[in-house]
Amino acid sequence: MSRFPVEDIRNFSIIAHVDHGKSTLADRLLELTGTIDKTKKNKQVLDKLQVERERGITVKAQTASLFYSFGGKQYLLNLIDTPGHVDFSYEVSRSLSACQGVLLVVDANEGIQAQTVANFFLAFEAQLSVIPVINKIDLKNADPERVGKQIEKVFDIPSEECIKISAKLGTNVDSVLQAVIERIPPPKVHRENPLKALVFDSTFDQYRGVIANIALFDGVVSKGDKIVSAHTKKAYEVNEVGILNPNEQPTHKLYAGQVGFLIAGMKDVTEAQIGDTLYLHNHPVEPLPGFKSAKPMVFAGVYPIDQSEYNNLKSAIEKLTLNDSSVTVHRDSSLALGAGWRLGFLGLLHMEVFNQRLEQEYNASVILTTPTVPYKAVLSSAKLIKEYKEKEITIINPAQFPEKSKVTEYLEPVVLGTVITPTEYTGKIMALCQARRAIQKNMTFIDENRVMLKYLFPLNEIVVDFYDSLKSLSSGYASFDYEDAGYQTAELVKMDILLNGNMVEELVTVVHREKAYTVGKSICERLKESLPRQLYEIAIQAAVGSKVIARETVKAYRKNVLAKCYGGDITRKMKLLKRQSEGKKKLRKIGNIEIPKDAFIKVLKTQPNK
């Protein structure tokens, strides 16, 4: 690795909207530099997870080092392929910290989409050089000229700087590598200084412990060095260093400016903090500014299907959160489902992928409750403030939502959403946004047939099924991206679900006052379908405070007590029916309704058609 001086190193990322060809371009770059053989099987080489292969999306950022000869010199290029979906933008922002430039890939057919804009601004804020690449020029509807004009208008990059390629066929891909060498600056680092390395990703290996992906900002690291973590202050001995090519390839040393992996016998999952700085044992350095911790947008309860699986699930969640550090974990327990956790995710797809990875990689099956968002409440009395030790409390579990009498106001999270859509769908999309209590902020025409809308959305309105509705209204053409915009006051109410007058804690939800009736009615209807009938009738009620707003009844099984009366006086029949109804009344008093777990799962899984 010492053959590559700093000026011959280039570190870059590939960023784009979902499905614009990042992983395909990465495959071609790996083939061109001879890192992998040219075969028909090379599809998504860097997408190593099973869930990525099945869904055809990138979930984890992956690193690969390429060697490329250009102009008589050999260059070392470190490439990071990143996800495109809004739920994984934290992966993108982390990857950019190890780079000096990015390839911004735009589909020649679709043009600029919502995440293209979001990812560009991530790179722009990190002050990286941006090389625009227009991909898929082989499609028959491709219009690279129009897309070039869009790039010029939205990002202020001259359209002649765009490189037009087809990653699938490999057309013009070599000019991308030349542009990387000519337009991206080498890293600004010093090899003479003591070691300073940033951990930007990590994985857990059953046999070797934690494998940390590092970017070296200063100094050199070699096998046998004593290193210290700035976060935990623990010392380790380096067992192995190397580069990812794209599989692990051990080397003797890594030098400043290079990106690679390091194994140092970290046994515990909590030891390798992403964003941590590593330095040599006797040369402490100023730690690098780590990453802003990710802000979870959606919370869901996770419980083992059987309580005996609790410990296995605990270690599986710990190992997976090491690899996906944007998930937050709080312990939680419930009467019906036992002990579990409340996990915070960046979005619904993120939640689904996490659940799928738990099943595939750790063989753990779980019950997921309905996703909720974090609310805040401003407390009114000094006594309560003293009890909670703060004036503003955050509620992530709806069952702990405080009553109106204790609170001056409730706050709900809002996000600034960007929708990019063909102009013919604008009317429908505006109507959808207004139905979700959104406030329009801005509307710009990108060109004659594309429009960009900016709305302020309450997060709980978009978290469950907004994206699906948007896609079906616009025949799949509209794209959506959102960023956190703080909190705003809202008329919120806590809705309890009662069965024969007893509250069911797991089904408590927080809803906006205007929507309480529709949500309550749909939960009652779904419960009615999934609860087994008893010998007495069950009243299912949705209540806000002491006021019942919706009710459904599960009818009782009936025995025909009049079968033996084939005539005779009416009073005899009445007597038998009266005795039966008294028996039912008594049963109802002492009968206890156990909700079967599968009924819970049915009610929690199906989302109401709002």
Side-chain angles (χ1 to χ4, degrees):
M1 298 304 288
S2 58
R3 294 208 320 268
F4 299 97
V6 177
E7 55 272 14
D8 293 351
I9 297 177
R10 301 286 183 272
N11 299 329
F12 66 100
S13 261
I14 305 181
I15 58 175
H17 184 79
V18 186
D19 213 16
H20 278 200
K22 292 178 297 299
S23 300
T24 316
L25 176 58
D27 294 345
R28 292 300 87 76
L29 294 178
L30 290 170
E31 284 176 7
L32 259 179
T33 53
T35 313
I36 54 175
D37 300 327
K38 286 191 183 183
T39 63
K40 286 274 187 291
K41 288 182 189 155
N42 285 342
K43 280 187 181 160
Q44 300 172 307
V45 178
L46 292 178
D47 289 353
K48 296 177 182 155
L49 301 176
Q50 188 181 339
V51 55
E52 294 181 317
R53 301 240 167 214
E54 283 174 10
R55 288 174 177 251
I57 56 173
T58 307
V59 169
K60 253 337 266 151
Q62 294 289 355
T63 315
S65 299
L66 324 172
F67 302 102
Y68 182 60
S69 298
F70 175 69
K73 272 167 102 174
Q74 182 137 22
Y75 288 89
L76 170 65
L77 311 177
N78 293 313
L79 146 79
I80 303 180
D81 179 26
T82 64
H85 197 280
V86 55
D87 286 9
F88 305 104
S89 57
Y90 186 61
E91 284 285 325
V92 181
S93 62
R94 283 213 323 265
S95 309
L96 296 183
S97 63
C99 298
Q100 282 74 47
V102 293
L103 298 177
L104 180 71
V105 180
V106 185
D107 187 324
N109 190 14
E110 303 261 338
I112 288 176
Q113 300 279 51
Q115 272 107 40
T116 321
V117 180
N119 287 341
F120 168 79
F121 283 112
L122 278 177
F124 188 72
E125 281 164 21
Q127 297 179 340
L128 307 181
S129 39
V130 177
I131 301 174
V133 176
I134 298 176
N135 188 15
K136 306 195 184 181
I137 55 169
D138 56 311
L139 295 179
K140 69 170 190 285
N141 292 342
D143 190 349
E145 305 308 318
R146 178 176 61 93
V147 176
K149 285 186 188 129
Q150 287 180 7
I151 290 175
E152 194 163 333
K153 180 165 182 189
V154 180
F155 302 138
D156 210 15
I157 301 172
S159 55
E160 51 272 13
E161 283 189 22
C162 300
I163 304 169
K164 300 178 180 68
I165 64 159
S166 162
K168 191 176 178 185
L169 305 176
T171 320
N172 206 15
V173 176
D174 47 353
S175 57
V176 174
L177 284 171
Q178 290 173 21
V180 166
I181 289 168
E182 286 163 2
R183 298 195 215 167
I184 293 177
K188 294 188 178 76
V189 293
H190 303 284
R191 293 190 174 174
E192 306 75 55
N193 292 2
L195 171 72
K196 189 193 271 190
L198 173 77
V199 178
F200 66 91
D201 205 353
S202 54
T203 44
F204 189 81
D205 184 297
Q206 211 170 340
Y207 305 107
R208 299 184 293 174
V210 175
I211 303 173
N213 284 14
I214 56 168
L216 272 74
F217 282 80
D218 283 325
V220 184
V221 64
S222 56
K223 193 175 168 175
D225 280 354
K226 265 275 190 66
I227 57 165
V228 179
S229 145
H231 180 75
T232 59
K233 298 285 181 279
K234 284 189 181 174
Y236 305 97
E237 186 174 324
V238 179
N239 302 338
E240 197 178 320
V241 293
I243 56 169
L244 293 151
N245 186 10
N247 300 323
E248 290 164 15
Q249 198 171 336
T251 59
H252 291 298
K253 292 184 175 187
L254 279 179
Y255 293 87
Q258 296 172 354
V259 175
F261 71 93
L262 173 142
I263 300 173
M266 297 179 183
K267 292 284 180 290
D268 192 13
V269 172
T270 53
E271 290 176 37
Q273 285 286 331
I274 287 182
D276 195 1
T277 306
L278 303 176
Y279 56 83
L280 288 176
H281 181 54
N282 42 10
H283 290 289
V285 293
E286 184 71 26
L288 293 156
F291 305 108
K292 292 201 300 263
S293 55
K295 224 177 163 186
M297 295 285 203
V298 181
F299 287 87
V302 170
Y303 299 93
I305 282 183
D306 188 354
Q307 277 299 312
S308 60
E309 291 290 307
Y310 181 83
N311 286 339
N312 297 351
L313 185 58
K314 186 179 175 207
S315 75
I317 287 177
E318 278 177 359
K319 285 171 188 165
L320 200 46
T321 46
L322 166 80
N323 191 238
D324 185 353
S325 62
S326 50
V327 178
T328 57
V329 184
H330 302 275
R331 296 211 27 203
D332 197 11
S333 67
S334 100
L335 290 171
L337 304 170
W341 297 268
R342 199 142 193 100
L343 301 186
F345 302 98
L346 300 181
L348 265 199
L349 178 73
H350 188 199
M351 179 176 104
E352 283 175 26
V353 163
F354 189 87
N355 189 20
Q356 205 172 332
R357 286 184 68 184
L358 271 179
E359 283 179 12
Q360 288 172 352
E361 294 171 36
Y362 299 99
N363 209 6
S365 45
V366 297
I367 298 172
L368 271 177
T369 66
T370 323
T372 59
V373 299
Y375 296 102
K376 284 187 176 176
V378 181
L379 300 173
S380 52
S381 70
K383 186 181 166 196
L384 283 168
I385 293 169
K386 195 174 175 188
E387 188 187 318
Y388 284 105
K389 297 190 177 59
E390 55 191 344
K391 189 168 181 187
E392 212 174 69
I393 57 169
T394 305
I395 306 126
I396 58 171
N397 190 343
Q400 291 151 3
F401 198 74
E403 291 165 21
K404 186 81 182 107
S405 55
K406 299 178 177 176
V407 172
T408 47
E409 60 177 357
Y410 294 118
L411 304 170
E412 66 176 347
V414 285
V415 292
L416 184 64
T418 308
V419 179
I420 294 184
T421 168
T423 39
E424 64 260 34
Y425 304 112
T426 319
K428 288 181 185 172
I429 287 172
M430 284 173 143
L432 171 72
C433 295
Q434 273 159 357
R436 298 302 174 97
R437 302 192 285 123
I439 301 159
Q440 190 173 351
K441 288 288 177 198
N442 192 334
M443 180 172 175
T444 17
F445 286 88
I446 296 176
D447 56 21
E448 58 274 9
N449 46 17
R450 300 285 294 290
V451 62
M452 181 155 81
L453 304 163
K454 285 202 185 265
Y455 275 93
L456 210 55
F457 287 96
L459 182 60
N460 65 348
E461 291 288 341
I462 61 167
V463 80
V464 173
D465 56 353
F466 176 77
Y467 192 64
D468 300 345
S469 314
L470 181 75
K471 282 287 183 200
S472 53
L473 273 184
S474 65
S475 314
Y477 283 114
S479 60
F480 178 63
D481 182 82
Y482 60 84
E483 58 190 87
D484 186 31
Y487 280 78
Q488 71 177 17
T489 53
E491 286 272 313
L492 300 173
V493 289
K494 172 182 164 187
M495 190 166 68
D496 300 324
I497 302 296
L498 310 171
L499 293 182
N500 280 356
N502 301 326
M503 193 178 100
V504 184
E505 192 186 280
E506 289 72 29
L507 297 176
V508 174
T509 47
V510 174
V511 287
H512 195 267
R513 191 178 284 282
E514 289 169 11
K515 298 210 165 185
Y517 172 72
T518 43
V519 175
K521 185 134 185 68
S522 73
I523 291 181
C524 289
E525 282 167 359
R526 295 204 314 270
L527 257 177
K528 182 185 176 182
E529 286 164 20
S530 46
L531 276 183
R533 282 171 71 185
Q534 306 284 352
L535 289 171
Y536 50 91
E537 69 175 37
I538 306 171
I540 306 167
Q541 295 165 310
V544 172
S546 55
K547 185 181 172 193
V548 174
I549 55 170
R551 167 175 172 146
E552 292 287 335
T553 309
V554 178
K555 288 277 182 260
Y557 282 123
R558 288 197 54 166
K559 178 186 176 191
N560 188 359
V561 288
L562 303 181
K564 59 189 178 189
C565 300
Y566 49 88
D569 196 29
I570 182 75
T571 52
R572 186 158 174 225
K573 290 184 182 175
M574 294 309 291
K575 187 175 135 195
L576 287 169
L577 285 170
K578 194 174 172 201
R579 188 188 294 166
Q580 184 189 29
S581 69
E582 275 171 3
K584 298 247 185 214
K585 211 183 261 177
K586 189 174 165 192
L587 251 182
R588 190 169 166 184
K589 268 188 194 156
I590 58 171
N592 187 12
I593 310 164
E594 279 282 315
I595 304 187
K597 266 192 187 160
D598 54 343
F600 259 123
I601 298 166
K602 269 183 207 160
V603 175
L604 296 173
K605 263 192 181 163
T606 40
Q607 290 307 336
N609 301 322
K610 291 176 190 164

